[in-house]
Amino acid sequence: METPNLIQKSIDTVRVLAADAVQKANSGHPGTPMALAPLGHILWSEVMRYNPKNPHWPNRDRFVLSCGHACMLQYAFLHLTGYEISLDDIKNFRQLHSITPGHPEYGLTPGIEVTTGPLGQGFANGVGMAVAQQYMAARYNQPDFEIFDYKIYAICSDGDIMEGVTAEAASLAGHLGLGNMIYFYDNNNITIEGDTDLAFDEDVSKRFEAYGWHVQNVSDIKDLQALRDAIDKAKNETERPSLINVRSVIGYGSPNKHNTAAAHGSPLGEDEVRLVKENFGFDPDKSFVIPPEVAEFYRKAGEKSAQHEENWNELYQNYKNSHPELAKEYEDITAGKLPADWHKNLPVFEAGEEMATRKASGKTLNAIAQYLPQLIGGSADLAPSTDTNLKDFKSFSAKNPDGRNFHFGIREHAMGAVLNGMALSNYLIPYGATFLIFSDYMRPPLRLASIMDICPIMVFTHDSIGLGEDGTTHQPIEQLIGLRTVPGMTVIRPADANETAQAWRVAIEHTDGQVCIVLTRQGIPIIDQQKFTSASELEKGAYILSDCDGEPEIILIASGSEVHLILEAQVNLKNENIRARVVSMPSWNLFDKQPADYREKIFPKNIRKRLAVEAGSPVGWMKYTTDNGDVIGIEKFGESAPADELFAEYGFTVENVVKKARDLLQKN
């Protein structure tokens, strides 16, 4: 039977486990898990709906530990409630190849919903999770069948609240009225450097009220009834996200280090851990002790929560009988099945005109959207410029949660993190768009998407000095190579309208990490697919667009808008009796995954004279051009001028390509 003494012992067990694990690892953050144990107890034993035996149950409540450094709190409760995390895993905290790393990692540890640690990211990911739930509910819920009604619970720290991405995401969540979010602000007033008043003294509650959130304050995290009452009120608040501002004491139970920075990011020390155990009535000579009655209590809490899935399964079966078409659609999408021949609806663009690849992207999106209800997205206030608006669909809003056009506002950082949260629904294919130069604002979520191996799609337009008069600040130079260096990220820079359509095909079908489609502002020629190789070869990353008669003397390589330059250069070189092969190379990442024999076919080892042409940093191209090759690239910032003048000024002309090719051939 649950008694106050058992509850207190259970909470204290989590505190001691956290202290022991950090001490054994000689690394980590003990203070916050010790402080948050009462809140964790309420969430895992009374509030959240989850099933330890099926961490992926679709209607489970999501838990986000935005302050990922406090992960021992989460690991402890996952272990205690019955997830596949053993006590040995707890003992191996922060060790090589363990499933209990120093910050939570999605896909590694059962029960972890999202990779967190970079502060503020988890906060914004939760907004995306909330969006996904509301969209799915709007599409699938029917009278008497609340199939999707899960909530997003998150804990965030002082550090999370300070990060700028939190301000962006909180503002957006309030505007959208995401009432399925219940966030806890762990207000402990301590950061690594000391008391938060060194740099932070704002009234967080008033700030979030200004964002449009429902805000409550709990003055003492140890007051379990106050926590219960606040959570109950938050659950009844359906039109605003909720923030519960909870006052805690970092390192609670540590006689000498509680309420100090010493309890934040370092082990307490062997002597202090002994004092913690004595303080909570544990044997100081024993470590990783879980009293049997505590183990039984939490295991039963996990089993009780699992009943929610059993009830849901019965509800879903009845729903499936009543609404078979909706159920089939949902099941196909979550199984990764796309409609048969959906790609046959991709537009085919005729040669003989020029079209910006951003325009081709917009036409492609609108051609396929009706066949893919899981495709939802928008831009950071740039839809008219990035051509990412779905013309036949409404905008997502509090009144229209079934809308598919998403307005992120001028919030690139939050956009990336929200997209990650949306992608984690295992349902949505979310996309977001901005200018390539502004990818710099969203590097953390781009990197985290790759770490998690999830598949949001980014559309980056205005991809070079070709954007023209906006000048130096808006012309990307180093961004392409920066994106290409992110492990697991697939970057595609299509050469024309038809390659753009194929880039969308690859992105939609891609199941192995994030895809970034990089597009032009300026019009570029549509390549004749009757005369040259089909753009469908884009899926291989690089392909022979136009070959010569006989063995090539030189291979010309380009991506994006520069491909038409090397096609023209090939003709001029042929007139000079120089045999040149033209390779369109929209994606290094896709090409590097091809079999060795295919890569050899495109770039034979014996043909070392190779010239790459790209309106960006030349860094990295040497991998493909070899030490006998060269690159026409850009190693300085741009200027404000019409695009045609800039391309000429920076050497992106047919004449310069031909000259560089000749120079290469004349070298030994």
Side-chain angles (χ1 to χ4, degrees):
M1 180 179 176
E2 182 180 330
T3 65
N5 286 340
L6 176 57
I7 290 174
Q8 190 60 56
K9 181 175 283 189
S10 299
I11 292 170
D12 293 341
T13 296
V14 171
R15 289 169 166 151
V16 173
L17 269 180
D20 271 341
V22 173
Q23 191 60 46
K24 183 175 185 296
N26 197 29
S27 172
H29 301 74
T32 303
M34 294 169 70
L36 290 173
L39 175 58
H41 170 84
I42 293 293
L43 290 175
W44 265 277
S45 69
E46 299 181 20
V47 174
M48 293 194 301
R49 299 176 302 178
Y50 59 93
N51 183 358
K53 303 305 179 187
N54 182 15
H56 304 293
W57 167 41
N59 200 43
R60 69 195 180 279
D61 290 328
R62 272 57 167 180
F63 175 77
V64 178
L65 186 66
S66 193
C67 47
H69 57 271
C71 56
M72 261 313 303
L73 176 83
Q74 194 169 9
Y75 296 153
F77 280 108
L78 291 174
H79 165 67
L80 290 166
T81 54
Y83 287 81
E84 290 188 14
I85 300 176
S86 69
L87 189 59
D88 283 340
D89 292 323
I90 300 293
K91 293 177 181 178
N92 285 325
F93 178 56
R94 286 185 166 231
Q95 302 310 298
L96 183 64
H97 303 313
S98 92
I99 64 167
T100 49
H103 293 85
E105 294 188 25
Y106 171 77
L108 176 66
T109 313
I112 299 297
E113 300 284 359
V114 58
T115 298
T116 58
L119 293 174
Q121 293 299 313
F123 187 107
N125 297 150
V127 176
M129 293 176 178
V131 167
Q133 185 275 322
Q134 293 212 350
Y135 179 78
M136 293 167 69
R139 187 167 187 85
Y140 294 109
N141 287 3
Q142 299 294 318
D144 298 323
F145 292 103
E146 293 293 313
I147 300 302
F148 298 113
D149 62 354
Y150 60 87
K151 294 189 181 297
I152 289 78
Y153 294 92
I155 298 177
C156 52
S157 63
D158 291 301
D160 286 293
I161 296 297
M162 292 184 211
E163 286 286 358
V165 67
T166 295
E168 294 181 21
S171 174
L172 181 62
H175 172 74
L176 293 174
L178 297 175
N180 51 351
M181 296 171 54
I182 300 176
Y183 278 28
F184 302 90
Y185 163 39
D186 175 30
N187 181 2
N188 65 32
N189 287 354
I190 295 292
T191 61
I192 289 177
E193 291 185 356
D195 197 285
T196 52
D197 65 9
L198 291 168
F200 182 73
D201 58 4
E202 67 194 42
D203 189 325
V204 172
S205 293
K206 288 183 179 179
R207 171 181 158 191
F208 275 75
E209 287 174 358
Y211 288 142
W213 287 53
H214 173 241
V215 177
Q216 301 176 77
N217 295 282
V218 174
S219 61
D220 184 355
I221 198 171
K222 300 190 301 301
D223 186 342
L224 301 187
Q225 192 56 49
L227 289 175
R228 293 185 185 104
D229 292 344
I231 293 169
D232 285 343
K233 290 178 183 177
K235 290 169 75 172
N236 290 324
E237 175 58 60
T238 60
E239 297 182 358
R240 291 182 292 171
S242 287
L243 182 78
I244 301 175
N245 185 335
V246 182
R247 186 73 175 96
S248 74
V249 175
I250 195 169
Y252 181 83
S254 171
N256 300 303
K257 296 189 176 182
H258 74 282
N259 205 31
T260 70
H264 177 82
S266 302
L268 298 176
E270 295 286 356
D271 291 341
E272 190 70 10
V273 170
R274 289 179 64 85
L275 293 177
V276 167
K277 292 175 181 176
E278 290 176 354
N279 202 14
F280 291 132
F282 283 70
D283 186 339
D285 294 319
K286 295 180 180 179
S287 297
F288 298 98
V289 172
I290 301 173
E293 63 273 29
V294 171
E296 181 183 9
F297 168 72
Y298 281 126
R299 194 58 53 93
K300 285 184 176 179
E303 292 170 355
K304 180 180 177 181
S305 185
Q307 183 66 45
H308 289 296
E309 182 181 2
E310 292 185 26
N311 297 338
W312 185 86
N313 288 338
E314 182 179 347
L315 176 69
Y316 183 76
Q317 187 57 53
N318 292 332
Y319 171 83
K320 191 172 180 178
N321 293 336
S322 299
H323 304 283
E325 291 184 3
L326 283 174
K328 184 179 186 306
E329 178 189 275
Y330 165 71
E331 290 175 11
D332 283 349
I333 290 173
T334 54
K337 295 179 182 178
L338 296 169
D341 299 328
W342 74 273
H343 54 276
K344 289 187 177 179
N345 297 290
L346 290 168
V348 176
F349 300 94
E350 298 297 325
E353 62 174 310
E354 293 191 349
M355 181 183 294
T357 52
R358 63 172 174 150
K359 295 288 185 186
S361 172
K363 291 179 182 295
T364 301
L365 263 176
N366 279 280
I368 63 176
Q370 63 179 307
Y371 306 100
L372 302 169
Q374 67 271 48
L375 186 64
I376 173 175
S379 77
D381 196 52
L382 288 169
S385 293
T386 58
D387 279 279
T388 43
N389 193 58
L390 302 178
K391 296 178 175 59
D392 294 332
F393 298 93
K394 297 178 291 187
S395 294
F396 183 96
S397 68
K399 293 183 179 179
N400 297 308
D402 58 342
R404 293 175 60 185
N405 288 301
F406 212 88
H407 302 280
F408 292 98
I410 306 167
R411 303 181 179 103
E412 290 89 355
H413 195 171
M415 176 174 69
V418 170
L419 288 170
N420 287 351
M422 293 163 72
L424 286 162
S425 66
N426 190 41
Y427 174 85
L428 292 177
I429 301 177
Y431 66 88
T434 187
F435 293 177
L436 178 58
I437 193 70
F438 301 138
S439 64
D440 285 352
Y441 279 133
M442 46 191 307
R443 295 289 294 187
L446 290 173
R447 183 172 187 269
L448 283 164
S450 290
I451 289 174
M452 289 187 281
D453 199 27
I454 57 177
C455 303
I457 299 170
M458 285 308 310
V459 179
F460 292 128
T461 67
H462 297 60
D463 69 345
S464 72
I465 57 172
L467 73 86
E469 291 85 346
D470 276 344
T472 310
T473 60
H474 282 52
Q475 292 168 6
I477 303 298
E478 73 278 18
Q479 281 66 33
L480 263 176
I481 183 59
L483 293 174
R484 285 168 174 158
T485 60
V486 178
M489 181 179 288
T490 297
V491 180
I492 306 175
R493 186 175 183 239
D496 74 339
N498 286 307
E499 275 201 4
T500 301
Q502 293 301 316
W504 270 106
R505 176 178 66 83
V506 169
I508 295 294
E509 294 177 346
H510 197 73
T511 59
D512 186 22
Q514 185 168 38
V515 175
C516 299
I517 303 175
V518 181
L519 305 168
T520 69
R521 173 186 184 270
Q522 75 277 16
I524 55 178
I526 297 175
I527 297 167
D528 189 344
Q529 292 192 92
Q530 303 301 315
K531 181 178 179 182
F532 300 107
T533 305
S534 169
S536 62
E537 293 294 291
L538 170 138
E539 66 185 8
K540 298 175 182 174
Y543 63 99
I544 301 170
L545 180 61
S546 176
D547 217 346
C548 55
D549 296 327
E551 184 177 86
E553 298 172 74
I554 189 170
I555 301 175
L556 306 177
I557 318 163
S559 77
S561 55
E562 290 72 71
V563 171
H564 77 276
L565 288 180
I566 63 174
L567 272 175
E568 292 185 45
Q570 181 193 40
V571 174
N572 288 13
L573 289 168
K574 183 177 181 180
N575 292 336
E576 297 180 21
N577 295 317
I578 296 174
R579 299 185 304 277
R581 168 179 291 176
V582 167
V583 172
S584 175
M585 195 168 189
S587 177
W588 296 5
N589 317 84
L590 292 175
F591 178 72
D592 289 346
K593 293 178 180 178
Q594 300 307 308
D597 58 346
Y598 179 80
R599 288 182 276 124
E600 171 64 17
K601 173 187 172 184
I602 306 302
F603 298 128
K605 292 183 177 64
N606 64 313
I607 302 175
R608 310 286 289 176
K609 302 293 187 179
R610 304 175 190 174
L611 177 64
V613 184
E614 187 172 71
S617 170
V619 173
W621 273 107
M622 185 62 71
K623 177 179 179 180
Y624 306 103
T625 60
T626 78
D627 52 358
N628 286 330
D630 201 357
V631 183
I632 298 175
I634 302 176
E635 297 186 90
K636 61 180 182 178
F637 293 119
E639 297 184 48
S640 179
D644 290 346
E645 294 180 23
L646 286 170
F647 277 123
E649 175 73 15
Y650 283 74
F652 293 95
T653 63
V654 175
E655 294 75 18
N656 192 45
V657 173
V658 170
K659 177 182 179 300
K660 291 287 187 179
R662 283 200 219 100
D663 291 345
L664 268 180
L665 289 168
Q666 290 170 5
K667 288 183 179 180
N668 294 329

